[in-house]
Amino acid sequence: MTISIAVAGASGYAGGEILRLLLAHPAYATGELEIGALTGHSTAGASVGELMAHLPQLRQRRIVETTAENLAGHDVVFLALPHGHSAEIAGQLSPDVLVIDCAADYRLRDADAWQQYYGTQHAGSWPYGIPEMPGHRQAIVQARRVAVAGCFPTAVTTGVLPAVVGELIEPDLSVIAVTGVSGAGKKAAVALLGAETMGSLRAYNPGGKHRHTPEIVQNVREYLAPEAAPKVTFTPVLAPLTRGILATVTAPLLPGVGPEQIRKVYEDFYAQEPFCLVLPEGQQPETQNVVGTNMVHIQAHVDQTAGKLIVTAALDNLCKGTAGGAVQCMNLALGLPETAGLPMAAVAP
């Protein structure tokens, strides 16, 4: 049986990255997976060759309008659409279809948090797409609907999760995360022009304003006592990079926790996780070492003078932070090998 896949928003950065990964998927090579409808809005009618010359296998294909009709009849539908657009489409698709949403529409369980940060009606929540979070892999395996995590929450959550689950820190996180410009999508914007970003760093949406803040809080809260109230201060920084996130998370250590305990907890927590690599002591995560991969490189440090844990985590925002996470969830939900089609080795230099 051949599994057909449609990609809505195929000409955007996330959609194009999903296609790149699918074209290298072993099940695509054997014919077990086939790529069906590729949809878009402003690019409808254009060929893939015109829009995404880096995908030569699909160069003759044309983008069609994003409608439920064009997406119907597929076994898997990836929604790589702007926030707030997925719910309308998803509601028109058969419950038997595996729908994987790369936007935020179904990530948050708290309707008030959704209203505060997105300002529209809350559509509900789906199983959350970070398989490395305890309990989530099993939910994804059984799901027909999956909400892929945001890129910043993926970096921060995988970085700090061992310390949260291991009860090594107070849930009071200070996060500074440097990101490349592709995280803002493919839309034209003056602030993202090369002349505005080259040779410059700029913080944006600080002070709890970034939309990924409640998602990080939700992920941390899941592993705390019901009465606990996690705090997250999140400051993203735009850097002149195409891809990549380097997140630095600082949190107070609980009394008696030392460097040896931290290292053991981190190494044990990720020992069986193929996409989370705890680096040897003294080696720092670098965005160049994860570009194009589904990896998160992680390092944990103890500042004994300050009594703080400092975690650094690097990933590719378009791969593990979006499209790679989406394909990883697809593999799980379809019963395919979880690592299939997902690169672990980056291009270097």
Side-chain angles (χ1 to χ4, degrees):
M1 175 183 173
T2 300
I3 298 169
S4 62
I5 300 173
V7 180
S11 57
Y13 288 144
E17 185 75 346
I18 289 169
L19 292 172
R20 181 182 76 88
L21 296 173
L22 291 176
L23 289 169
H25 199 291
Y28 177 79
T30 62
E32 295 171 77
L33 295 180
E34 66 176 14
I35 298 173
L38 307 178
T39 81
H41 178 58
S42 61
T43 57
S47 71
V48 171
E50 294 174 71
L51 301 170
M52 296 176 285
H54 66 293
L55 303 175
Q57 303 98 311
L58 300 173
R59 63 187 179 277
Q60 303 298 334
R61 300 282 299 277
R62 294 206 169 266
I63 305 296
V64 298
E65 283 285 348
T66 300
T67 64
E69 290 74 21
N70 284 332
L71 297 171
H74 296 85
D75 301 299
V76 181
V77 174
F78 288 99
L79 299 177
L81 302 172
H83 303 315
H85 292 263
S86 299
E88 181 180 355
I89 292 291
Q92 300 177 64
L93 298 175
S94 167
D96 296 328
V97 176
L98 174 59
V99 182
I100 300 177
D101 185 19
C102 296
D105 293 36
Y106 294 98
R107 293 175 189 162
L108 297 181
R109 294 189 287 271
D110 187 331
D112 292 337
W114 174 268
Q115 180 64 39
Q116 177 184 346
Y117 282 87
Y118 293 90
T120 59
Q121 184 176 357
H122 185 230
S125 63
W126 291 351
Y128 185 72
I130 298 183
E132 293 82 3
M133 292 176 66
H136 284 245
R137 182 173 278 110
Q138 294 85 344
I140 294 166
V141 166
Q142 300 172 16
R144 291 291 90 187
R145 299 287 190 270
V146 178
V148 177
C151 52
F152 286 123
T154 300
V156 174
T157 302
T158 53
V160 79
L161 196 58
V164 173
V165 175
E167 299 181 347
L168 304 178
I169 59 172
E170 295 179 19
D172 186 355
L173 310 184
S174 176
V175 180
I176 297 177
V178 180
T179 183
V181 294
S182 62
K186 214 171 186 177
K187 61 183 180 295
V190 171
L192 300 177
L193 292 173
E196 303 293 331
T197 57
M198 287 188 296
S200 181
L201 295 171
R202 175 172 60 86
Y204 65 99
N205 286 337
K209 296 178 182 177
H210 196 281
R211 288 173 165 179
H212 286 175
T213 302
E215 194 176 334
I216 298 169
V217 171
Q218 175 176 280
N219 294 352
V220 172
R221 179 181 284 125
E222 186 170 331
Y223 302 99
L224 301 177
E227 67 276 9
K231 299 177 182 177
V232 174
T233 299
F234 174 41
T235 303
V237 177
L238 186 67
L241 305 169
T242 301
R243 295 171 176 246
I245 288 175
L246 179 65
T248 301
V249 186
T250 305
L253 285 166
L254 290 175
V257 176
E260 296 79 10
Q261 184 179 1
I262 291 289
R263 173 142 295 270
K264 178 172 174 40
V265 166
Y266 268 78
E267 290 179 346
D268 290 350
F269 193 91
Y270 285 129
Q272 303 302 318
E273 291 294 348
F275 298 123
C276 292
L277 176 64
V278 179
L279 297 177
E281 290 188 63
Q283 185 175 356
Q284 282 297 318
E286 300 181 51
T287 56
Q288 68 177 350
N289 293 331
V290 293
V291 169
T293 79
N294 203 51
M295 298 296 297
V296 188
H297 286 190
I298 300 166
Q299 185 59 275
H301 315 265
V302 171
D303 185 333
Q304 292 182 303
T305 302
K308 299 287 182 70
L309 172 69
I310 299 95
V311 177
T312 49
L315 55 70
D316 182 329
N317 57 292
L318 289 181
C319 199
K320 177 58 172 171
T322 311
V327 172
Q328 186 179 351
C329 291
M330 178 198 77
N331 286 339
L332 286 166
L334 293 180
L336 299 171
E338 184 174 345
T339 59
L342 295 171
M344 299 173 73
V347 176

